[in-house]
Amino acid sequence: MSDAEDAADDAGTAPSVAIVGAGFTGLSTLHALAERGVDAVTYEATDEVGGVVKSREIGGKLLEVGPQRLRMTDAIRAMVTDLDIADEVLTADDDLPLFVYADGDLREVPRSLSAFRRTDLLSTRGKLRLLAEPLTDPIDPAESAQDAFVRKFGTEAYTNLIAPLFGGTYGSDPAEMPAKHALKPMMGLESRKGSLLRAALSRLVFSGEETPPAASFESGLQRLPKALADEYAGRLNRETPVTGIERAGSGADSVWLVHTEDDTQRVDHVVLTTPADTTADIVEGVDAESAAALREFNYNPLVLVHLESRARAEGFGYQVRRTEPMRTLGVTWNSSLFDRDGVYTAFLGGMHDPDAIERDDETLGGTAAEEFKRVMGVDAEVLHVERMPRAFPAWDDSWAASERVDLPEGITLATNYTGRMGLPSRVREARRLAGELSNSVGE
Ligand SMILES: Cc1cc2nc3c(=O)[nH]c(=O)nc-3n(C[C@H](O)[C@H](O)[C@H](O)COP(=O)(O)OP(=O)(O)OC[C@H]3O[C@@H](n4cnc5c(N)ncnc54)[C@H](O)[C@@H]3O)c2cc1C
């Protein structure tokens, strides 16, 4: 009998699934599996849950040091209701405007046809060029996201609208993002609807489908993962990093052994939700080639500077057009969104300014406050500086390596670098995966 088989025998009564990571994806998967009656266990390396979702009270203010909001989709609302925390939800007024800072002014991003007619972000010529999108050729997977957007919507719409919003979401430069990887969901939409504009219009005008509202919780976004962790406390191992996995047995009888420093657990299926470099370390022993490919993925560093200001601003915040002489990528108006008592969050760094992360707090805070004043006309005090060396998957050329990630059956990646990044997408993937696993594990 091999060492692995010995360990498998020692591993005791097995849950069917091991989930590695208690971030939003891992805990949503645990919940979705529990709903389907599948026994699962989750391992979390740190003593905290939520992964990059972190809400902190600093200087008497509630600060989000990761994502600032989520969209309250039906699936997230159902989870919130199940956990009995619906009365703690804060919902932003969806009529609040979002702005792009361009040519020295805040200009509203159009989110309706009448706003599109009104907006001064685009000239009449720029608007007509954008409306010609259905006449352009479909996105070519071989082109960059920038080339695809410019070709389809024109240079003006790209520079003033798309690059600040799309690039801002990833802290990335669309010129460095191959369409093949970065625009995959958009290409699917385009082929289903015939054009991107038609897809947007049919959503806006014909479907009557509303965008779920932006939301948070009274004590911040981390409330949701904390509530999930409380609900499933018996199935969650904190401060227990998974160090590796191993296959035991062969053929239909094979199982996976999940190793932690002090223990080994036998399961039918392993779900990895960890960042790419950690995932590589975990799968190294079972698939060195996939591990090497995962190590190639680039991430964009990001700096969040939390500011306090008496500025009276109503809206979601603004993204800065990349041609402006500013380092700030964008600012979330937490104060207006969720009544967060004068709090604003500035984002710096990203692919355009990777060295930002190396600057000291004083320099970063000074830049954020000075540029805030330039845009808002009001002073701001620095509350906190947070550095995230590996914040966003970059979706750049390094994603070519994804074609070499082909893990053995029984190991699934449920991650924001193999799927979409937003919290609603993380929950959607968790639910889809739980559905699949509930049909397959223990068969
Ligand atoms: C700055 C920022 C702003 C964002 N803004 C928004 C937003 O406004 N709205 C939105 O919808 N989305 C936003 N996102 C995206 C979204 O927050 C993330 O995609 C999502 O939270 C990722 O969750 P996850 O569980 O997949 O991964 P993670 O949050 O990375 O969780 C992975 C977990 O695995 C754990 N782990 C690591 N190694 C091990 C190990 N060896 N063993 C066990 N556990 C391990 C980690 O400690 C962590 O808890 C933002 C992301 C960032 C970084």
Side-chain angles (χ1 to χ4, degrees), residues 21 23-25 43-45 51-52 67 69 241-242 278 392 416 421 423:
F24 225 80
T25 310
Y43 296 94
E44 168 54 44
V52 299
R69 57 176 182 252
V242 167
T278 310
F392 293 126
N416 68 358
M421 204 174 74
L423 294 165

Side-chain angles (χ1 to χ4, degrees), residues 39-288:
D39 192 13
V41 61
T42 301
Y43 296 94
E44 168 54 44
T46 68
D47 61 354
E48 245 193 302
V49 295
V52 299
V53 177
K54 287 193 174 83
S55 313
R56 297 271 186 270
E57 201 158 322
I58 296 174
K61 307 272 181 197
L62 183 67
L63 310 181
E64 297 290 0
V65 298
Q68 306 292 304
R69 57 176 182 252
L70 52 73
R71 289 274 168 193
M72 188 55 75
T73 54
D74 290 346
I76 297 182
R77 194 177 290 285
M79 203 149 70
V80 162
T81 307
D82 289 347
L83 295 164
D84 209 15
I85 54 170
D87 57 347
E88 298 173 41
V89 171
L90 301 176
T91 305
D93 175 358
D94 232 34
D95 293 337
L96 289 175
L98 170 68
F99 298 92
V100 168
Y101 182 73
D103 289 326
D105 231 329
L106 287 175
R107 299 169 196 281
E108 188 174 338
V109 172
R111 288 188 294 160
S112 68
L113 294 180
S114 56
F116 179 73
R117 275 195 294 271
R118 273 197 325 268
T119 186
D120 61 355
L121 256 181
L122 300 174
S123 64
T124 305
R125 197 189 162 97
K127 288 178 191 176
L128 291 173
R129 174 62 183 86
L130 181 151
L131 292 173
E133 186 270 342
L135 306 175
T136 61
D137 285 336
I139 297 169
D140 176 353
E143 64 190 334
S144 72
Q146 171 175 302
D147 288 347
F149 288 136
V150 168
R151 192 172 54 68
K152 295 184 74 62
F153 296 104
T155 305
E156 193 183 321
Y158 172 74
T159 309
N160 291 359
L161 196 58
I162 300 170
L165 297 182
F166 180 82
T169 304
Y170 296 94
S172 228
D173 178 355
E176 303 296 327
M177 302 169 85
K180 184 179 183 179
H181 306 300
L183 303 185
K184 216 185 216 171
M186 236 177 248
M187 287 193 281
L189 199 66
E190 183 180 48
S191 83
R192 284 198 303 281
K193 299 285 182 180
S195 102
L196 292 174
L197 198 64
R198 214 169 286 148
L201 282 176
S202 70
R203 192 183 162 95
L204 263 178
V205 184
F206 305 118
S207 77
E209 229 180 274
E210 294 199 356
T211 308
S216 184
F217 298 87
E218 282 165 7
S219 56
L221 275 182
Q222 204 178 356
R223 175 69 178 117
L224 182 49
K226 281 183 174 170
L228 283 165
D230 287 347
E231 179 75 15
Y232 299 107
R235 306 181 198 187
L236 172 62
N237 299 293
R238 295 174 194 246
E239 295 184 86
T240 315
V242 167
T243 51
I245 47 183
E246 190 182 359
R247 197 202 288 270
S250 57
D253 292 331
S254 75
V255 292
W256 291 102
L257 303 180
V258 177
H259 298 297
T260 60
E261 244 161 62
D262 303 323
D263 204 6
T264 292
Q265 178 68 62
R266 182 176 54 179
V267 291
D268 296 327
H269 204 105
V270 183
V271 176
L272 295 164
T273 72
T274 39
D277 52 345
T278 310
T279 303
D281 292 344
I282 294 172
V283 302
E284 178 72 55
V286 286
D287 186 344

